Amino acid sequence: MAMEITQFLLSAQSADSKVRTEAEGNLRQFQEQNPPAFLLSLSAELSNNEKPTESRRLAGIVLKNSLDAKDAARKEHLVQQWMAVDIAIKSQIKDMLLKTLGSSVPEARHTSAQVIAKIAAIEIPRKAWPELIGSLLINMTQQDGPAALKQSTLESLGYVCEEISHEDLGQDEVNSVLTAVVQGMNLAEHSPEVRLAATRALHNALDFAQTNFENEMERNYIMKVVCETAMSKEAEIRQVAFECLVSIASTYYEVLEPYMQTLFELTSNAVKGDEESVALQAIEFWSSICDEEIELQEYEIAESGDSGPPHSRFIEKALSSLVPMLLETLLKQEEDQDQDDSIWNLSMAGGTCLGLVARTVGDAIVPLVMPFVEANILKMDWRCREAATYAFGSILEGPTVEKLSPLVHAGLEFLLNAMKDENSHVKDTTAWTLSRIFELLHTPATGFSVISPANLQRVVGVLLESIKDTPNVAEKVCGAIYYLAQGYEDAGTSSSLLSPYLPDIITCLMTTADRTDGGDSKLRSSAYETLNEVVRCSNITETSHIIAQLLPVIMNKLGQTVDIQIVSSDDREKQGDLQALLCGVLQVIIQKLSSTDDTKRVILQAADQIMILFLKVFACRSSTVHEEAMLAIGALAYATGLEFGKYMPEFHKYLEMGLQNFEEYQVCAISVGVVGDICRALDDKVLPYCDNIMSHLLKDLSSGELHRSVKPPIFSCFGDIALAIGQHFEKYLSYAIPMMQGAAEICAQMDTNDEEMMDYGNQLRRSIFEAYSGILQGFKNSKPELMLPHAAHLLKFIELVFRDRQREESVTKAAVAVMGDLADTLGPNIKILLKDRAFYAEFLGECLESDDEQLKETATWTQGMIGRVLVS
Amino acid sequence: MADEGLVSHKRDPLKSSVGNVAAHRRRQHAVTIGKERREAVVRTKRLCRVGISEDSDVSIDNDMVLDEEQSILEAQTSSAVKELKASVAYQGKGVMQRRVSAIRELRCLLSRSEFPPVEAALKAGAVPLLVQCLSFGSPDEQLLEAAWCLTNIAAGKPEETKTLLPALPLLIAHLGEKSSLPVAEQCAWALGNVAGEGEELRNVLLSQGALVPLARMMLPNKGSTVRTAAWALSNLIKGPDPRAATELIRIDGVLDAIARHLRKADEELATEVAWVVVYLSALSNTATSILVKSDVLQLLVERLATSNSLQLLIPVLRSLGNLVAGDTQTSNVLVPGHEITDNAIAALIKCLKSEHRVLKKEAAWVLSNIAAGSIEHKKLIYTSEAVPLLLRLLSTAPFDIRKEAAYALGNFCVAPTEGAGKPTLILEHLVSLVGRGCLPGFIDLVRSADTEAARLGLQFMEMVLRAMPNGEGPKLVEREDGIDAMERFQFHENEDLRNMANGLVDKYFGEDYGLDE
């Protein structure tokens, strides 16, 4: 039943677009008409050594893409399609693929290994290909099997491990896979190609080795082989071996103790003398150890008293050798590394690791780093000055304020002067260090800051002068201003200190945003975001007039963007980016000025103009709505309250467009949030728009296309709508409730081992409760009986959530609150239900014992509500 | 997939620009604001207007705007405190009335929302004024309202509770017999909240003599006063210092009152009293030995048998377990053959069958304590319905319950030790329990990460290996994968367990094992 498709596959790669299109069409037609035959033909092509390499390669790629896709819905479709193929054909395909692993053509072998893994990803979790691992292992145990076969078999094993979960294999299989892989790394027996493939396979298989790492002998053996491989002659193999060590550091931290001496020597030699790709991984090893220890420390603080997993204090023990090694790397900067965000080199990795070390050990790092700083900060070579500054900036997070403040006080003036250094790298790093100082050591709200009324003028003066420097330096200066302003948030009277400088700061930031030498838009975006923070954190009573003056300036700029002439799609993108930044500024200004009654007037007076602008921005695009404009409209709705009603006839179509935007799901999520803002602004005046809004929201929920992260906000939004329109929610009830119940069922069946899934599950649970809360409170005074038929299901869901041990606190809060809402709204009607589900007492007991005051208060309220029902 | 080779381990550089992070944070911030506003809207709809006490004369004026925002509430609170200050300073006509209505206003504000404006009240200086209002000779109404305000303040955050320090001596003073009952109860309520806050404040209260007057309040027969006093007492004696518990049990009439309430009171009062017993028996040996000799044990058993209230059953079970575990002469009380013992076991069996995991776990724990007693005790429980229930729990329950069940089952098989050496076995029990399939459950415990459970499992396995007739032990253990379970300890960091497991493997599964077949 396999068809001859070589010619199609070759034509599909033709330079002639007509030929190509026609061939593609033929292939697609074949695929649609008879998927099993299509798959079989592709694998026949791939496995046939007589066919041209080009057609085989494309056959492999098409085959791979017929089994897996990035998009979840498409992927599910492909999986179903494969599962539906006749079992005889499937096994024919699999045999051909396994055979191809021994092909003499490297590309065919490689592609085949990948396709095997894709099939394994579908079949192994379903226990549909139990013989795969055995078949692959036979290739490895043939005494004098060809090296090529072993190489692609190892590749295949690695890919398979990458695709499946370690629970899908039995321990026997894991053991055999690991044995084969580790043997494949053996220097004496195998060629470099085989060893490289084996080392890569090990990297993917490490997650499977849990049990083996618990056994000392097996662990010793694996570690010995990895360490030996890390000293291979071939740099590429060394690099992958170090990548294995990085994985081991994070996965098996708790058993590393006996190997640390060796690992230190190994990584240290690599950092000092090996090629950069290897040295970077060696540094990454230590960064990963830091990650583990920082997490352990956070865990210790959170759960003091409980004996958690062991903290081996590797960083502390290695500190005196580790820090000098990292400091050395700082001197290996590249010219122009500051121009490009994508550069990652030894000095950047070393500084990043140094920062992690500081967070791990705190004060102990300071005496080890300061001599390096002092020795290098004045040297002639710019590399020394830059490295010294970078080292200082790296260790500002971790040590105590007491330890750092004398150093920072003493060094601040020096750093301010260094903003005039002759070298741009030095200035860049100095500005970044200043931003770190302001981020970490400038919190007047809690009483500590390196900034005083005495030095503020000098600091602002230097920053505003340096913001005129080269674009990369200016960007870092923006960061410094950002954190300087942020420090004054909620700082009471201290926040007055910055107020006199605000006009100058704002002017300079606006000038910076207008610069054209920035190359890309990074500097502009940093300048506007810094402006936002300055506005957001300012002392409103002293600065409202300045912000009020800024408003028309920004509005004017936004108005100009609408008239930009659009010729190319590039122009369109630039227009959109600029509009995004300006809408962001407007959002912050609206938020700020509407926070007091006095200043809200400014927004109310300008509201019509602002809204017209936003509508114009929306009109710039035909099919999508502007995310930032939508966000700003949310703020405007809150500020204007009922008045927002007059914009709805014009605005609702854009809102609905946003609610239908499946592709850019963030836009959809923000639109859903804006529905909430509007509900709170308009209350029952939102009613005329609710039919359309609800129908879009319900469609969104039923869609398989929409990103799942938008679904929880939609449920919360049900609550917002119900609160606003009260009894009128009745007509949506028969649609909304089944959705909520369905989602609750999904929560009950979630895979509790998948952390990301659990996180989503928690959001979903909370949002379902919020929906119920809104609906219950909405019906309380008019039609409480409508919710009576649904009370049992809700109570059951609450109980289910209560029994879940991985429940998050925010979920607990929402659950206990909705229990109170149920009692509050339905009253004596649910007395019997409550008596049947006595878990509520245990649940309340747990909440009342919590340390979280808000939770305790909510639980007390719920207790009161339930108490009232029970005594009634 | 891995077309591009392995993904490199690039992490975010420490040195980076502010732009992207800032935009992300700003959007997050906007979303958070939306959430906060949603919460505020729901919160105002939920406003709780019920005071803490059930007094019905304090109905809230319904004309008041109920949906106020917190900020309005706070502003009102500050001005209420201001008015109170003025009324305290005021000496003219109608002074009493003005003062009472000022405190009542404040109390209403503090009771109205589920987020009482405690901070605003404190900032405005409420506590010193309220202390003044508590001064001796003040009318009852004023005392009641002032104590009520303080009760609500004490229910706040820890640092807010601490602001009550200057008020404590007067609150304690008003517990005395000369006070009217509502005043005394309200004061007890406030003090209970304070005592619940932590050890430091408990010690202050004890040193100021709160224990005795509270204990006296518990003596009468009924009324909410008794319940409130019992609740406050259980907070006050929570320890960890056992002295207060010991002192309490020695106060004249307390033991009687406890027994009386456990015998006659409604479930709500019995619950609070049972909590007092929990802390007495958990902390103080003196109290334990006094309680064991009294009727209390009998009464706890009766409550356990008759009540269906989870709130009551939990403290009752815990008390019972404390008493059984704390007293070495349990046998003196729960004597096999006596009716009380049979009743106790029947009641515990009821709990083992219940749906509630807490009840199941605590009941298994109490049973294991009883099973640790004499041979007669073991035989008695052994012939009861408890064994099949425990066996089922051992194979199906969550880990913590399983462990308690295993303790109980293990205890059945070991006779009380006389002198040193390995404990003597009760072979009959061991053979029959193994025959009923308990071995896999114990072997499962050996595999757990909890060393205490693992030790228990190993000990049981040792008995099986050593004592099963016809040398059947090793075969049984092998069949249930016990060897594998023990071999996990080959390199275990706990030396004791390692030696124990290795010793067993060497002794019973050494070189000769299986040769004679």
Side-chain angles (χ1 to χ4, degrees):
Chain A
M1 137 177 181
M3 255 177 62
E4 178 65 38
I5 52 170
T6 314
Q7 200 47 53
F8 292 148
L9 289 166
L10 291 177
S11 302
Q13 301 172 70
S14 161
D16 183 339
S17 75
K18 199 164 149 250
V19 176
R20 203 168 58 224
T21 319
E22 194 188 323
E24 283 167 357
N26 285 329
L27 286 171
R28 200 173 308 118
Q29 199 183 2
F30 183 19
Q31 176 171 27
E32 280 159 11
Q33 278 167 1
N34 191 346
F38 181 65
L39 295 171
L40 188 66
S41 307
L42 287 170
S43 45
E45 184 80 20
L46 174 62
S47 67
N48 189 340
N49 275 337
E50 327 243 293
K51 297 287 184 185
T53 307
E54 293 73 29
S55 66
R56 296 177 73 182
R57 184 181 51 210
L58 185 59
I61 292 172
V62 175
L63 191 52
K64 206 176 72 178
N65 293 339
S66 308
L67 293 162
D68 191 14
K70 282 220 170 79
D71 178 72
R74 166 110 186 114
K75 180 172 178 168
E76 185 54 31
H77 168 74
L78 293 174
V79 169
Q80 292 311 327
Q81 178 180 301
W82 170 258
M83 294 302 291
V85 174
D86 182 77
I87 193 147
I89 296 178
K90 279 194 286 202
S91 81
Q92 234 179 315
I93 294 176
K94 291 191 273 190
D95 286 346
M96 286 193 275
L97 290 169
L98 285 170
K99 199 186 82 192
T100 313
L101 291 178
S103 161
S104 54
V105 182
E107 285 188 301
R109 294 202 305 265
H110 175 72
T111 317
S112 182
Q114 293 182 322
V115 179
I116 288 173
K118 291 299 175 194
I119 297 177
I122 301 174
E123 295 204 338
I124 292 208
R126 295 173 170 80
K127 312 277 178 229
W129 198 1
E131 65 280 10
L132 168 66
I133 299 292
S135 318
L136 290 174
L137 289 172
I138 289 173
N139 292 346
M140 296 307 296
T141 45
Q142 290 168 0
Q143 273 304 315
D144 32 59
L149 174 64
K150 290 189 173 167
Q151 181 200 358
S152 47
T153 300
L154 284 165
E155 251 186 350
S156 189
L157 281 169
Y159 293 153
V160 169
C161 289
E162 194 179 10
E163 290 283 340
I164 64 178
S165 147
H166 61 91
E167 285 149 11
D168 294 331
L169 291 188
Q171 188 59 43
D172 292 350
E173 288 175 309
V174 170
N175 291 345
S176 318
V177 170
L178 283 172
T179 309
V181 166
V182 174
Q183 274 170 6
M185 292 164 73
N186 189 310
L187 176 64
E189 287 176 33
H190 297 294
S191 64
E193 292 76 23
V194 172
R195 280 162 42 231
L196 179 60
T199 315
R200 282 187 179 150
L202 179 67
H203 187 255
N204 287 335
L206 278 169
D207 271 349
F208 291 63
Q210 216 82 38
T211 309
N212 312 79
F213 263 84
E214 280 166 22
N215 178 313
E216 190 181 356
M217 263 171 46
E218 292 183 44
R219 182 173 69 228
N220 283 343
Y221 184 61
I222 297 173
M223 290 301 292
K224 179 170 154 282
V225 174
V226 178
C227 289
E228 280 167 7
T229 312
M231 293 185 289
S232 299
K233 204 158 85 251
E234 302 80 1
E236 205 178 355
I237 300 184
R238 289 201 302 277
Q239 182 192 335
V240 182
F242 271 105
E243 283 169 22
C244 288
L245 288 174
V246 170
S247 286
I248 291 172
S250 51
T251 316
Y252 301 112
Y253 169 87
E254 64 278 9
V255 295
L256 282 186
E257 176 84 62
Y259 317 106
M260 283 313 277
Q261 186 59 39
T262 313
L263 291 174
F264 181 80
E265 281 159 23
L266 209 53
T267 49
S268 166
N269 289 337
V271 172
K272 283 178 189 142
D274 211 325
E275 290 183 22
E276 184 170 57
S277 63
V278 185
L280 284 175
Q281 291 303 326
I283 294 176
E284 183 60 25
F285 171 82
W286 289 101
S287 292
S288 297
I289 295 280
C290 289
D291 289 342
E292 292 306 309
E293 299 199 339
I294 290 170
E295 197 180 327
L296 283 171
Q297 278 154 215
E298 280 168 3
Y299 182 80
E300 270 172 21
I301 294 168
E303 318 256 310
S304 56
D306 277 349
S307 61
H311 189 320
S312 303
R313 315 211 170 274
F314 294 137
I315 298 296
E316 200 178 298
K317 288 174 195 159
L319 200 61
S320 60
S321 324
L322 182 59
V323 171
M325 171 182 102
L326 292 172
L327 289 172
E328 277 309 301
T329 65
L330 303 188
L331 292 159
K332 300 186 180 158
Q333 307 95 327
E334 288 173 290
E335 300 276 355
D336 301 332
Q337 66 179 22
D338 295 327
Q339 314 293 333
D340 183 354
D341 272 355
S342 63
I343 287 184
W344 183 242
N345 60 31
L346 216 53
S347 74
M348 294 167 85
T352 302
C353 186
L354 192 65
L356 290 167
V357 172
R359 286 174 54 200
T360 312
V361 301
D363 285 356
I365 200 168
V366 176
L368 293 169
V369 170
M370 287 315 291
F372 176 85
V373 176
E374 284 152 12
N376 287 287
I377 196 85
L378 292 168
K379 286 203 177 143
M380 289 300 288
D381 184 356
W382 70 266
R383 286 173 188 278
C384 297
R385 298 197 303 278
E386 197 275 343
T389 316
Y390 190 20
F392 187 67
S394 299
I395 61 163
L396 291 172
E397 188 181 1
T400 55
V401 171
E402 292 71 36
K403 189 84 183 172
L404 290 174
S405 70
L407 299 172
V408 174
H409 274 300
L412 185 60
E413 184 55 32
F414 184 93
L415 288 168
L416 292 172
N417 283 327
M419 287 310 297
K420 295 206 186 79
D421 197 286
E422 63 193 24
N423 179 282
S424 169
H425 291 279
V426 176
K427 285 187 284 190
D428 186 288
T429 304
T430 304
W432 169 77
T433 300
L434 286 170
S435 79
R436 295 264 292 173
I437 291 176
F438 301 151
E439 179 186 359
L440 298 160
L441 294 154
H442 164 57
T443 44
T446 61
F448 178 80
S449 173
V450 295
I451 306 288
S452 64
N455 64 16
L456 182 58
Q457 185 176 12
R458 162 100 174 112
V459 168
V460 174
V462 169
L463 292 177
L464 295 188
E465 188 55 39
S466 306
I467 203 171
K468 298 171 192 152
D469 210 313
T470 55
N472 58 304
V473 175
E475 233 187 289
K476 302 293 190 302
V477 173
C478 286
I481 298 175
Y482 180 93
Y483 288 112
L484 180 68
Q486 192 177 70
Y488 292 111
E489 186 186 8
D490 301 328
T493 49
S494 305
S495 65
S496 303
L497 289 178
L498 199 64
S499 302
Y501 304 101
L502 229 51
D504 283 349
I505 293 176
I506 291 176
T507 311
C508 282
L509 287 170
M510 295 289 290
T511 315
T512 307
D514 286 340
R515 272 168 72 160
T516 50
D517 60 346
D520 49 23
S521 60
K522 264 170 51 203
L523 177 57
R524 172 175 297 160
S525 138
S526 291
Y528 276 128
E529 292 299 351
T530 301
L531 176 64
N532 291 338
E533 196 68 356
V534 168
V535 169
R536 194 177 71 79
C537 300
S538 66
N539 180 319
I540 182 140
T541 46
E542 292 166 2
T543 58
S544 60
H545 63 284
I546 307 171
I547 301 172
Q549 284 166 9
L550 182 61
L551 178 62
V553 178
I554 300 292
M555 286 169 64
N556 191 24
K557 276 182 172 295
L558 184 57
Q560 287 166 7
T561 66
V562 176
D563 304 326
I564 295 176
Q565 207 186 356
I566 305 294
V567 184
S568 64
S569 64
D570 198 33
D571 292 342
R572 165 102 37 222
E573 194 182 330
K574 274 188 184 149
Q575 180 196 40
D577 288 348
L578 186 54
Q579 287 174 340
L581 293 168
L582 293 165
C583 287
V585 182
L586 285 179
Q587 176 230 321
V588 172
I589 293 178
I590 295 169
Q591 200 112 64
K592 185 75 183 178
L593 291 182
S594 56
S595 65
T596 77
D597 284 340
D598 260 0
T599 51
K600 199 158 145 181
R601 276 182 308 107
V602 181
I603 297 300
L604 297 182
Q605 279 162 9
D608 287 353
Q609 270 78 43
I610 296 176
M611 196 62 200
I612 290 169
L613 267 174
F614 288 152
L615 292 171
K616 279 188 185 161
V617 169
F618 282 131
C620 285
R621 302 188 192 176
S622 52
S623 58
T624 62
V625 294
H626 204 290
E627 181 180 346
E628 290 284 1
M630 196 55 99
L631 203 59
I633 283 180
L636 190 66
Y638 178 78
T640 53
L642 272 179
E643 286 293 300
F644 193 82
K646 65 179 173 189
Y647 309 127
M648 281 305 281
E650 189 63 21
F651 170 62
H652 77 97
K653 63 180 179 204
Y654 295 112
L655 182 62
E656 290 178 28
M657 215 193 265
L659 293 175
Q660 295 171 82
N661 195 339
F662 289 173
E663 295 80 32
E664 298 165 274
Y665 65 88
Q666 291 96 333
V667 174
C668 189
I670 285 175
S671 307
V672 171
V674 170
V675 172
D677 290 326
I678 291 174
C679 286
R680 286 183 283 276
L682 298 187
D683 257 331
D684 57 354
K685 300 286 183 299
V686 76
L687 190 58
Y689 305 97
C690 282
D691 283 355
N692 284 350
I693 290 175
M694 276 304 289
S695 90
H696 291 310
L697 293 177
L698 290 165
K699 258 183 235 155
D700 286 347
L701 280 179
S702 352
S703 156
E705 268 177 86
L706 182 63
H707 194 273
R708 67 178 190 201
S709 69
V710 189
K711 298 192 174 175
I714 292 179
F715 283 117
S716 307
C717 188
F718 282 177
D720 296 335
I721 294 174
L723 273 178
I725 64 174
Q727 54 174 317
H728 301 293
F729 197 79
E730 181 178 358
K731 58 178 166 175
Y732 309 125
L733 206 56
S734 61
Y735 304 99
I737 293 278
M739 294 276 190
M740 288 151 64
Q741 293 182 345
E745 305 292 333
I746 290 174
C747 290
Q749 292 153 12
M750 261 177 199
D751 174 7
T752 51
N753 289 313
D754 183 341
E755 221 170 285
E756 213 175 302
M757 203 59 191
M758 283 310 290
D759 196 33
Y760 173 66
N762 280 325
Q763 287 176 31
L764 196 56
R765 288 179 174 95
R766 192 175 53 221
S767 68
I768 296 169
F769 289 140
E770 282 172 349
Y772 274 115
S773 284
I775 297 174
L776 284 164
Q777 289 295 342
F779 284 152
K780 182 165 80 178
N781 296 325
S782 49
K783 295 182 171 169
E785 70 285 352
L786 287 176
M787 286 305 283
L788 200 53
H790 311 297
H793 192 282
L794 170 57
L795 213 50
K796 207 170 109 201
F797 180 46
I798 299 174
E799 175 162 15
L800 185 102
V801 169
F802 162 62
R803 305 269 174 222
D804 170 19
R805 290 178 168 200
Q806 296 175 25
R807 169 165 41 94
E808 241 183 37
E809 187 121 299
S810 66
V811 177
T812 305
K813 249 181 238 176
V816 82
V818 80
M819 213 155 74
D821 293 326
L822 200 58
D824 189 15
T825 300
L826 296 181
N829 289 320
I830 60 154
K831 197 165 168 179
I832 298 170
L833 272 181
L834 279 175
K835 291 208 163 149
D836 285 349
R837 297 225 166 243
F839 78 93
Y840 71 86
E842 218 178 313
F843 189 19
L844 282 173
E846 180 203 303
C847 297
L848 291 169
E849 275 172 29
S850 157
D851 295 331
D852 184 317
E853 289 304 320
Q854 223 189 336
L855 176 57
K856 256 201 254 184
E857 277 162 355
T858 310
T860 311
W861 173 76
T862 297
Q863 196 178 34
M865 288 298 122
I866 290 182
R868 213 179 57 181
V869 166
L870 293 180
V871 299
S872 59
Chain B
M1 186 155 71
D3 289 320
E4 310 79 22
L6 292 172
V7 193
S8 90
H9 275 280
K10 190 191 160 187
R11 52 175 71 228
D12 290 336
L14 185 61
K15 191 176 150 191
S16 59
S17 318
V18 75
N20 300 334
V21 191
H24 180 70
R25 266 191 223 154
R26 176 171 55 75
R27 282 186 222 117
Q28 284 302 106
H29 189 73
V31 173
T32 314
I33 288 180
K35 279 189 189 157
E36 283 168 6
R37 289 187 183 142
R38 168 182 306 131
E39 274 168 28
V41 171
V42 190
R43 200 191 297 151
T44 52
K45 297 238 175 191
R46 278 185 194 138
L47 276 186
C48 163
R49 288 137 227 140
V50 189
I52 298 179
S53 167
E54 301 112 304
D55 285 12
S56 51
D57 66 310
V58 291
S59 68
I60 298 292
D61 186 355
N62 279 326
D63 293 319
M64 270 199 253
V65 188
L66 296 173
D67 293 56
E68 289 141 330
E69 296 274 355
Q70 196 72 5
S71 58
I72 302 180
L73 192 59
E74 280 165 12
Q76 287 177 334
T77 304
S78 311
S79 64
V81 175
K82 232 177 258 167
E83 166 58 21
L84 177 59
K85 194 178 216 163
S87 77
V88 167
Y90 179 72
Q91 295 296 346
K93 204 169 87 182
V95 54
M96 286 304 172
Q97 213 172 355
R98 180 171 171 190
R99 205 173 292 164
V100 169
S101 68
I103 316 178
R104 179 171 299 145
E105 170 69 21
L106 178 61
R107 185 264 296 166
C108 287
L109 289 165
L110 285 171
S111 311
R112 191 179 318 155
S113 153
E114 62 169 313
F115 303 107
V118 172
E119 205 185 323
L122 293 178
K123 215 183 267 172
V127 171
L129 296 169
L130 291 169
V131 173
Q132 251 179 291
C133 294
L134 281 178
S135 59
F136 292 109
S138 307
D140 274 1
E141 213 179 348
Q142 176 179 325
L143 291 172
L144 179 70
E145 294 289 357
W148 195 342
C149 287
L150 289 165
T151 306
N152 289 7
I153 292 172
K157 300 177 194 132
E159 65 275 12
E160 293 170 347
T161 311
K162 274 191 195 141
T163 60
L164 253 70
L165 274 172
L168 299 183
L170 281 167
L171 285 171
I172 295 172
H174 288 295
L175 295 176
E177 280 119 18
K178 284 179 193 146
S179 306
S180 73
L181 276 186
V183 172
E185 179 179 359
Q186 197 61 55
C187 291
W189 207 304
L191 293 169
N193 278 345
V194 173
E197 194 50 62
E199 191 188 352
E200 191 188 334
L201 284 171
R202 277 199 278 287
N203 289 339
V204 173
L205 288 173
L206 288 168
S207 70
Q208 295 185 353
L211 188 70
V212 175
L214 276 176
R216 292 222 177 97
M217 282 173 73
M218 203 179 64
L219 303 186
N221 268 338
K222 53 181 178 182
S224 63
T225 319
V226 183
R227 195 173 67 229
T228 307
W231 166 77
L233 274 174
S234 67
N235 271 351
L236 188 62
I237 63 167
K238 265 182 193 162
D241 187 337
R243 270 179 297 184
T246 305
E247 198 185 327
L248 176 61
I249 197 71
R250 286 183 173 144
I251 294 174
D252 266 354
V254 165
L255 183 62
D256 276 352
I258 288 176
R260 192 158 21 89
H261 294 319
L262 284 178
R263 185 176 296 127
K264 291 189 184 153
D266 57 53
E267 297 208 318
E268 276 182 77
L269 174 53
T271 302
E272 296 306 342
V273 171
W275 278 111
V276 175
V277 179
V278 169
Y279 292 114
L280 286 172
S281 56
L283 288 165
S284 159
N285 292 332
T286 317
T288 307
S289 57
I290 294 177
L291 286 166
V292 165
K293 287 179 207 131
S294 72
D295 290 345
V296 167
L297 201 62
Q298 166 83 32
L299 293 162
L300 289 172
V301 170
E302 278 166 24
R303 284 285 183 181
L304 194 59
T306 53
S307 172
N308 284 315
S309 151
L310 185 65
Q311 280 100 321
L312 176 57
L313 288 175
I314 288 175
V316 164
L317 256 181
R318 207 168 283 175
S319 300
L320 205 55
N322 284 344
L323 290 177
V324 175
D327 183 62
T328 43
Q329 296 108 33
T330 319
S331 28
N332 300 342
V333 193
L334 292 179
V335 181
H338 283 198
E339 201 191 337
I340 175 178
T341 316
D342 294 338
N343 291 344
I345 291 169
L348 289 168
I349 288 172
K350 183 186 97 173
C351 295
L352 282 186
K353 287 183 187 163
S354 118
E355 286 290 294
H356 290 286
R357 50 173 302 158
V358 185
L359 289 187
K360 278 193 272 201
K361 181 182 165 189
E362 304 257 340
W365 170 64
V366 179
L367 275 171
S368 76
N369 284 343
I370 302 179
S374 71
I375 301 234
E376 289 71 30
H377 283 105
K378 291 173 204 281
K379 288 196 174 148
L380 181 68
I381 311 177
Y382 196 76
T383 51
S384 75
E385 202 195 338
V387 173
L389 289 168
L390 289 169
L391 282 169
R392 187 160 353 120
L393 291 177
L394 178 66
S395 58
T396 58
F399 178 75
D400 51 344
I401 303 181
R402 250 192 302 155
K403 193 167 137 188
E404 297 301 344
Y407 268 114
L409 290 168
N411 281 342
F412 291 139
C413 301
V414 193
T417 27
E418 286 149 27
K422 280 194 178 152
T424 339
L425 283 175
I426 306 176
L427 192 56
E428 185 197 340
H429 289 176
L430 178 68
V431 172
S432 120
L433 283 178
V434 171
R436 291 158 89 174
C438 75
L439 187 56
F442 279 98
I443 290 180
D444 221 36
L445 289 183
V446 174
R447 292 204 177 88
S448 85
D450 176 329
T451 53
E452 208 185 317
R455 182 190 310 276
L456 180 62
L458 280 173
Q459 283 167 342
F460 190 83
M461 236 197 288
E462 190 274 333
M463 295 198 286
V464 170
L465 289 168
R466 169 158 55 97
M468 286 301 281
N470 307 326
E472 212 189 345
K475 269 175 258 165
L476 286 169
V477 168
E478 187 183 18
R479 198 181 314 144
E480 301 297 347
D481 277 341
I483 307 181
D484 169 69
M486 284 190 283
E487 279 175 346
R488 285 159 184 264
F489 289 93
Q490 217 161 354
F491 303 105
H492 199 275
E493 56 192 6
N494 183 316
E495 191 181 346
D496 209 18
L497 288 181
R498 193 174 62 223
N499 292 341
M500 206 161 139
N502 290 348
L504 287 179
V505 173
D506 289 348
K507 183 163 174 194
Y508 294 100
F509 302 97
E511 285 175 9
D512 300 337
Y513 178 66
L515 281 187
D516 49 346
E517 272 164 59

